[in-house]
Structures are given as structure tokens and as C-alpha cells.
């Protein structure tokens, strides 16, 4: 009799403990049909923080003007000449020229000078003055100048820290300094030394810490496949 009462007591306690779970409709078995998941490169919920960054040496989904497997990064005249035919994809606009001025001041003016006349402050310490406003440089194509920034040559090191979309802005700005695109541009430093904010480049847009534009895989089957997510729209990236 005592043993039977103990069994009943255990069963009652089990039912009492299971009651809250039953009332809250908690599922014990989901058969893996419904579970938290995230697509590759999808940002977490409403945040712009990606699930992970791009792998090293990955190919950007935005494309590249000249991939490394097409033309090497060697600092040779023939290598740079081979990029002379690359068309400039960036229209000359106020935003392009402003961005070009920023990168020119940070990377180029120290040797070439504020007006690209070859009188930068580095020339006071033995650096030869390389004038970019000569007729010979003016005759170079935009693609050639892009290649020089990409590969470097002679005394000029490669400036791959300037990302591709910004390199074309530098080309546009240089053309304005050369008087070739009919635009008047401001020259000189953007701000006093040490000033940051919008006076210096922002985070990398193609590096391994930057997420690739995310498109849901099933979207390619629908008419709205060309619509970017909120994260890609904020970057101005389209499919």
C-alpha cells in the first residue's frame, strides 16, 4: 500500500512539473524543422554587424577592374602599360573629386605636391620632384595612372591601400589638377594634422573585415532579385 502511494505521488509530481511546459506550448521535439539559422554573410537581425567577414584573398562581389590573375602586381613598365586600356568607370562629380582630393592629400601630395607639380615636402629630404602636370603625364590614359597606383614603379611604391573605387577618384582629381576635365578643385590639406572624422578614409570596403553584400539565395528565382537588402542599400551596392 505504501509502495503504491509512492508511485502515485511520483506520477502526480511529474504531471505538476510538466504542466507549465504544456501551458506554454513548448515543443519537446521539432525534428529539426524549425530552428534558428542564418544565411552565409547575412547580417544579424536588424544590425549591420555581419555574421563573419570575407575570407582573405576572396573575390569581391562588386567586381574588380583588373584581377591579380589577369595582370600581376609586378612593378614593370610593360605590366603597367597593359592596364592602359582600362576604362575609367567613375564619372567626374563633386563627390568623386572631393574623395579624390582626400586620398591625394594623404598618399600623393607628400611627394607630388598639392598641385601635382612635383614640389611635395618629401623633396626637401632628397626625394626627386616628380611633376604630374607635364605633357607626358597628361597624355597617359586613366587606366595607366590606375595601374601606377596599383603596382607602383621605380621610386613609387604600390598604393593598394587605396581601394579600387577610390583610385578612380584620385585619377579624376589628378585630371582636374592637370586641367583636363574642365573642373576647378580645391587644393591643399583638408584639415589640420590630427583631425579625423570625415577628413580621413573610413573602414575598408573590400577587406576581410567587411561583409560581402548579402542576397538571399532564393531571391534569384523572383523578380525582386535585383533589390539589395537594407545593409547593401546603405553601402550603395546593387546586384
Amino acid at each position: 500500500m505504501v509502495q503504491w502511494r509512492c508511485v502515485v505521488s511520483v506520477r502526480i509530481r511529474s504531471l505538476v512539473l510538466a504542466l507549465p511546459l504544456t501551458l506554454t506550448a513548448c515543443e519537446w521535439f521539432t525534428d529539426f524543422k524549425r530552428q534558428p539559422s542564418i544565411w552565409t554573410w547575412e547580417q544579424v537581425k536588424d544590425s549591420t554587424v555581419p555574421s563573419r567577414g570575407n575570407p582573405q584573398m576572396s573575390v569581391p562581389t562588386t567586381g574588380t577592374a583588373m584581377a591579380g590573375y589577369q595582370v600581376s602586381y609586378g612593378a614593370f613598365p610593360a605590366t603597367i602599360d597593359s592596364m592602359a586600356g582600362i576604362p575609367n568607370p567613375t564619372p567626374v562629380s563633386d563627390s568623386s573629386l572631393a574623395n579624390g582630393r582626400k586620398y591625394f592629400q594623404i598618399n600623393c601630395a607628400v611627394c607630388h605636391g598639392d598641385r601635382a607639380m612635383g614640389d611635395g615636402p618629401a623633396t626637401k629630404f632628397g626625394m626627386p620632384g616628380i611633376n604630374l602636370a607635364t605633357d607626358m603625364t597628361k597624355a597617359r590614359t586613366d587606366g595607366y595612372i590606375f595601374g601606377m597606383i596599383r603596382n607602383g614603379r621605380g621610386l613609387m611604391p604600390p598604393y593598394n591601400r587605396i581601394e579600387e573605387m577610390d583610385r578612380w577618384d584620385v585619377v579624376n582629381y589628378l585630371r582636374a589638377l592637370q586641367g583636363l576635365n574642365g573642373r576647378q578643385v580645391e587644393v591643399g590639406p583638408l584639415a589640420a594634422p590630427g583631425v579625423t572624422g570625415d577628413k580621413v578614409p573610413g573602414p575598408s570596403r573590400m577587406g576581410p573585415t567587411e561583409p560581402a553584400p548579402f542576397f538571399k539565395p532564393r531571391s534569384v528565382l523572383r523578380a525582386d532579385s535585383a533589390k539589395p537588402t537594407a545593409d547593401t542599400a546603405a553601402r550603395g551596392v546593387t546586384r
Side-chain angles (χ1 to χ4, degrees), residues 55-69:
Q56 288 281 2
M57 306 303 292
S58 59
V59 179
T61 59
T62 52
T64 179
M66 188 59 65
Y69 67 84

Side-chain angles (χ1 to χ4, degrees), residues 122-134:
T123 59
K124 299 177 182 179
F125 302 93
M127 178 67 186
I130 302 176
N131 190 342
L132 299 180
T134 63

Side-chain angles (χ1 to χ4, degrees), residues 112-192:
H112 297 294
D114 293 340
R115 298 181 182 274
M117 302 291 290
D119 55 353
T123 59
K124 299 177 182 179
F125 302 93
M127 178 67 186
I130 302 176
N131 190 342
L132 299 180
T134 63
D135 292 338
M136 181 178 68
T137 306
K138 290 179 180 180
R140 298 291 191 183
T141 65
D142 288 359
Y144 180 91
I145 298 174
F146 172 90
M148 281 291 294
I149 298 173
R150 177 183 185 268
N151 287 36
R153 200 185 77 186
L155 295 174
M156 178 174 170
Y159 277 87
N160 280 309
R161 64 184 180 186
I162 305 177
E163 296 184 275
E164 284 198 359
M165 61 288 291
D166 299 312
R167 288 178 218 166
W168 293 115
D169 292 334
V170 174
V171 172
N172 288 340
Y173 182 75
L174 175 60
R175 292 308 198 192
L177 292 178
Q178 294 173 336
L180 297 181
N181 57 16
R183 299 295 296 269
Q184 297 293 325
V185 292
E186 297 183 21
V187 298
L190 277 71

